[in-house]
Amino acid sequence: MTTAADPVAAPASAEQLAGAARREQTRARYPDAEGYVENDGVRVFYEVYGTGEPTLLLLPSWEITHSRAWKGQIPYFARHGRVVTFDRRGNGRSDRPRDVAAYDRRASMEDALAVLDQAGVERAVVVSWCGAGDDLLLAVEHPGRVSGLVLIAPDLLLTDDPADEEGPFPFDEEPATLDGWATWNRHYWLRAWPQFLEFFYAQMFTEPHSTKQIEDGIGWGLETDPETIVRGMDAEWLNDRETVLRLCAQVRCPTLVIQGSQDAVVGPARGAAVAEAIPGAQLITLEGSGHGPHLRDPVKANLIIRDFAGPPAPPRRWARGRSRRRRALYISSPIGLGHAQRDVAIAAELRKLHPDLEIDWLAQDPVTRVLEARGERIHPASAHLASESGHIESESAEHDLHCFSAWRRMDEILVANFMVFHDLAREENYDLWIGDEAWELDYYLHENPELKSASYAWLTDFVGWLPMADGAEREAFLTADYNAEMIEQIARYPRVRDRAIFVGEPADIVPDSFGAGLPLIREWTEEHFQFAGYVTGFDPADFGDRAALRHDLGYREHELVCIVTVGGSAVGAPLLRRVIASFPEAKRLVPQLRMIVVAGPRIDPATLPAADGLEVRPYVHNLYRHLAACDLAIVQGGLTTAMELTAGRRPFIYFPLKHHFEQNFHVRHRLERYGAGRRMDFDHAPPDAIAAAIAGEIGRPVSYQPVAPDGAARAAALLAEML
């Protein structure tokens, strides 16, 4: 199979690298307490998450990174106990002393003790990554504070490799050529630090499709400076074999060593040597993993650490197969309300085929608004989900959402939410898991196929990440790389998806390819999906008598109703404000105009401007009924609302978000196929232009292609076969 090129083939520019360092992505969980401790005049920043036991102390690696390297672990373990982290001197929010001695491993151990004292922690399981001695010193010299030791890819010199003594190249003498590990050199660091980081993190993550982890590492490395890194290298390490062996022999707490077989930084032999040197230590080798498995394979790393550190899984009730009712767990994407509308429609049809079926929903706002209004059961575990909508909103600008970039930067949230799903699926029996664009579920099940314990169905209304034109070569490379990984996952583990359902028809799929050397999206999707048709959640025939519907909704016969709505997130607030600004001129052009602005569940109506005669409403349940009754709608460009208007044969204007590849490519393609809607560009649509468009479109007869009304029933029939 042809795949996208290796990550180093399309490096990020220096400007992109600097941007990665400046901007922190949304966290899945924020600390319950944070602050500084001072040790020998140096301020060390720490964070505490969660309460109870066990307590995990996640030690920082060397000065090249900081505590955000534990982002895949913190939310999970904070749900099951307490997590303490701190930034090593020289990076993050800790001080950067100029004294070389301030960076030795004993100083780091003392920082750890000071942080534990400040957090009120008596004993903790200490977890280190690429630890070079402070972890051992802590366990040996302060055994009462360490209840267990987890060493991930330890950097302790115990093997017989001569390179272990001085490294592959002399650190102080600049070689004539600087290829590969020859860049491990103080002279090169001081003049080309970003370039070294790019090389180093490509070596750290030897696993294919590790572009996000590489970018994260580069960004963290850019948060310090090479002078600080050199001081850290000049400080005292545990760099002689006899000292390391002596300390290892004195470790008395339970110890686990996690080592990747493809570790290109310290080599796979070091972990095995450390495990052999520590009495009773357990070694787990991760085949195919590199130097940072807790970042590249966070789900597996979390489960390994939890099995070692506890707490034990809660007791389960077991029921014989004949005693079990049919149960399904439905995970509906919270990015907007469209998934919720179609999913409750599918669930209703599924219950017609299996009246005894129990459906639990693992869902978050704004999906929960729809579910609560429909009387659906939202599983209590949903309270632990990190907000995906909040992240998307934080990534947006003035009617601009770089959708692909925002999704990549949501990885921490996706890991945390998959772990919520995993705990639920482990503790309760379900016959069927249904994921409607539940990206975390689909991705991590393919990465960890052994965790699949029920039938699994995947639903989506688009296939394929596509680059925006101004993303240039870099974005084209990244989207192709993500597509290639997905294609490889499904080819390797076709058993993970028992059924893949496309919400639409083959003609709704864009004719593009997944990227250079990859298949065409439509051909590949036809081979790997079944098609349900579009799911509107209602039958347009029910609204054949528009006059009666308008009367029921309180719309008068003589008025021309324009509804403005932007879906379930707050991303569309700038569009609402722009359309509101157009209202006075639109009212002048169309005297019968009645404009109703629906703020939705995540925009406070009080934050929107007011205008005489303008109506602003909060979240409106069953908004599709109002859309079927209106004379014109103005929408953002999401698929669900646009297709509801298409099915209802109502004129509408849509404004795709800038840089939102799904709205600009996938949704636009589908609407053009149906001949539906008038597309406008927000950047070139001042209020007077919008007013003119309203005057030209309101009440206009349309001739869209018909939308089949049976999509929910077709999708339910495909799911019912799995029960």
Side-chain angles (χ1 to χ4, degrees):
M1 175 178 295
T2 304
T3 63
D6 185 82
V8 297
S13 66
E15 181 178 332
Q16 289 171 318
L17 298 180
R22 286 193 301 268
R23 185 181 182 196
E24 184 187 44
Q25 67 192 63
T26 311
R27 297 194 187 189
R29 178 163 182 158
Y30 287 86
D32 299 298
E34 62 180 36
Y36 289 89
V37 294
E38 188 169 314
N39 185 22
D40 284 340
V42 178
R43 295 194 319 154
V44 175
F45 181 79
Y46 73 93
E47 295 175 329
V48 182
Y49 303 79
T51 59
E53 297 299 331
T55 296
L56 267 62
L57 173 64
L58 305 179
L59 288 179
S61 185
W62 58 297
E63 295 80 10
I64 202 169
T65 190
H66 50 68
S67 58
R68 297 304 299 136
W70 297 109
K71 64 179 183 175
Q73 287 65 57
I74 290 169
Y76 179 58
F77 289 104
R79 285 199 291 112
H80 297 289
R82 179 169 46 174
V83 177
V84 180
T85 68
F86 67 95
D87 293 339
R88 185 180 292 280
R89 303 171 180 210
N91 206 326
R93 285 183 272 186
S94 292
D95 285 350
R96 288 146 175 74
R98 294 183 177 277
D99 180 10
V100 169
Y103 293 95
D104 68 34
R105 289 304 176 260
R106 185 165 296 279
S108 178
M109 179 200 71
E110 292 169 351
D111 289 346
L113 290 170
V115 166
L116 290 176
D117 290 342
Q118 181 70 22
V121 176
E122 299 261 339
R123 285 167 60 83
V125 175
V126 175
V127 185
S128 69
W129 170 40
C130 195
D134 42 354
D135 41 14
L136 290 183
L137 289 170
L138 192 58
V140 170
E141 297 186 5
H142 301 273
R145 308 298 297 270
V146 181
S147 57
L149 200 57
V150 179
L151 309 177
I152 301 174
D155 188 13
L156 295 167
L157 308 182
L158 283 183
T159 60
D160 294 325
D161 187 344
D164 279 348
E165 299 300 322
E166 297 183 358
F169 296 94
F171 181 65
D172 295 310
E173 299 177 16
E174 186 168 2
T177 61
L178 285 171
D179 295 331
W181 281 106
T183 60
W184 188 271
N185 179 277
R186 73 168 68 236
H187 305 285
Y188 185 71
W189 292 2
L190 291 171
R191 75 165 188 264
W193 182 235
Q195 288 73 23
F196 169 75
L197 290 172
E198 186 180 340
F199 162 76
F200 178 72
Y201 280 101
Q203 298 302 308
M204 180 174 291
F205 297 105
T206 52
E207 303 89 341
H209 312 296
S210 296
T211 57
K212 182 58 168 65
Q213 291 77 22
I214 292 171
E215 285 184 13
D216 281 345
I218 292 169
W220 298 331
L222 287 171
E223 292 188 41
T224 189
D225 54 78
E227 291 80 8
T228 297
I229 296 292
V230 169
R231 292 184 194 107
M233 292 298 294
D234 288 342
E236 184 177 346
W237 292 46
L238 292 185
N239 55 4
D240 69 275
R241 198 166 187 267
E242 288 186 7
T243 301
V244 173
L245 282 172
R246 175 176 56 80
L247 286 171
C248 285
Q250 293 177 291
V251 174
R252 293 294 178 263
C253 64
T255 302
L256 170 67
V257 179
I258 302 173
Q259 179 63 59
S261 69
Q262 300 299 316
D263 189 330
V265 175
V266 302
R270 286 194 189 179
V274 171
E276 185 177 352
I278 296 176
Q282 177 187 4
L283 172 67
I284 294 181
T285 301
L286 302 181
E287 292 294 334
S289 291
H291 187 62
H294 64 297
L295 283 161
R296 188 59 182 85
D297 291 299
V299 169
K300 186 61 179 176
N302 289 348
L303 297 179
I304 290 172
I305 295 170
R306 188 178 181 193
D307 286 346
F308 174 81
R316 295 177 57 182
R317 291 185 63 182
W318 183 82
R320 296 189 68 248
R322 289 175 59 87
S323 301
R324 298 178 189 174
R325 296 187 64 182
R326 287 189 177 93
R327 300 185 72 205
L329 181 63
Y330 215 130
I331 302 95
S332 181
S333 171
I335 309 301
L337 286 172
H339 306 92
Q341 297 286 3
R342 73 181 178 214
D343 290 335
V344 293
I346 293 170
E349 294 292 335
L350 190 54
R351 289 189 179 103
K352 293 178 183 178
L353 300 173
H354 288 289
D356 63 333
L357 178 66
E358 291 182 350
I359 299 178
D360 286 348
W361 296 81
L362 189 61
Q364 56 183 282
D365 188 76
V367 170
T368 49
R369 313 278 183 113
V370 176
L371 299 179
E372 288 166 353
R374 296 291 186 97
E376 295 284 350
R377 181 178 184 271
I378 302 168
H379 197 283
S382 301
H384 299 301
L385 294 171
S387 176
E388 296 178 27
S389 292
H391 167 76
I392 293 298
E393 290 162 5
S394 75
E395 294 276 330
S396 66
E398 182 78 2
H399 201 73
D400 189 354
L401 173 65
H402 203 302
C403 184
F404 174 66
S405 175
W407 185 83
R408 291 183 80 227
R409 288 167 52 82
M410 195 164 63
D411 57 334
E412 173 179 350
I413 290 173
L414 295 177
V415 173
N417 289 348
F418 179 83
M419 298 309 300
V420 173
F421 161 80
H422 170 267
D423 285 357
L424 173 56
R426 181 179 61 174
E427 294 163 12
E428 300 190 29
N429 292 313
Y430 291 97
D431 300 283
L432 174 62
W433 302 332
I434 307 169
D436 185 351
E437 292 186 17
W439 300 102
E440 69 278 22
L441 177 60
D442 196 65
Y443 180 80
Y444 286 110
L445 281 179
H446 280 93
E447 290 289 276
N448 303 270
E450 68 279 1
L451 298 181
K452 181 174 182 283
S453 58
S455 296
Y456 166 53
W458 166 252
L459 286 80
T460 186
D461 55 37
F462 81 93
V463 178
W465 308 102
L466 295 175
M468 301 303 297
D470 58 2
E473 179 185 357
R474 176 66 178 172
E475 187 165 320
F477 162 76
L478 287 174
T479 53
D481 186 66
Y482 272 65
N483 289 334
E485 182 177 31
M486 180 270 295
I487 291 169
E488 292 167 10
Q489 285 177 330
I490 292 170
R492 178 64 183 87
Y493 293 108
R495 62 183 172 83
V496 170
R497 291 180 181 176
D498 294 286
R499 184 144 292 172
I501 300 172
F502 185 82
V503 182
E505 305 292 353
D508 294 325
I509 303 169
V510 294
D512 306 78
S513 79
F514 284 108
L518 296 173
L520 292 173
I521 296 174
R522 186 178 298 174
E523 291 180 1
W524 185 90
T525 305
E526 288 185 273
E527 182 180 349
H528 291 89
F529 280 74
Q530 292 176 280
F531 295 84
Y534 194 74
V535 179
T536 58
F538 64 90
D539 187 345
D542 294 341
F543 306 131
D545 189 345
R546 285 189 64 244
L549 177 62
R550 286 170 65 94
H551 181 269
D552 289 345
L553 296 175
Y555 299 137
R556 292 179 287 274
E557 184 177 347
H558 68 278
E559 61 191 10
L560 294 174
V561 177
C562 174
I563 293 180
V564 187
T565 179
V566 292
S569 77
V571 174
L575 177 59
L576 294 185
R577 294 187 176 92
R578 180 76 60 85
V579 177
I580 289 171
S582 77
F583 175 68
E585 174 63 9
K587 182 70 171 175
R588 187 188 69 80
L589 295 173
V590 185
Q592 311 99 307
L593 177 65
R594 179 181 178 184
M595 181 177 285
I596 301 170
V597 173
V598 180
R602 295 182 64 86
I603 300 174
D604 182 357
T607 64
L608 298 175
D612 288 341
L614 180 76
E615 302 170 49
V616 179
R617 298 182 184 177
Y619 168 69
V620 175
H621 185 56
N622 289 339
L623 180 63
Y624 64 85
R625 300 181 73 238
H626 296 264
L627 295 177
C630 75
D631 297 288
L632 177 69
I634 300 177
V635 300
Q636 182 174 261
L639 181 62
T640 299
T641 306
M643 287 301 291
E644 287 174 353
L645 290 161
T646 302
R649 307 183 73 77
R650 308 314 307 145
F652 64 96
I653 301 169
Y654 68 102
F655 291 80
L657 284 164
K658 189 176 180 181
H659 291 117
H660 195 307
F661 77 91
E662 184 187 359
Q663 293 185 5
N664 282 278
F665 298 130
H666 294 281
V667 176
R668 179 180 176 182
H669 167 79
R670 192 180 300 219
L671 293 179
E672 288 177 349
R673 186 176 89 79
Y674 280 91
R678 173 178 172 179
R679 183 176 59 86
M680 294 185 70
D681 185 340
F682 182 85
D683 287 346
H684 299 92
D688 59 340
I690 295 175
I694 291 172
E697 294 291 322
I698 197 162
R700 180 178 65 83
V702 299
S703 56
Y704 305 154
Q705 293 293 318
V707 179
D710 62 344
R714 289 168 63 185
L718 292 170
L719 295 173
E721 295 172 1
M722 303 170 67
L723 291 166

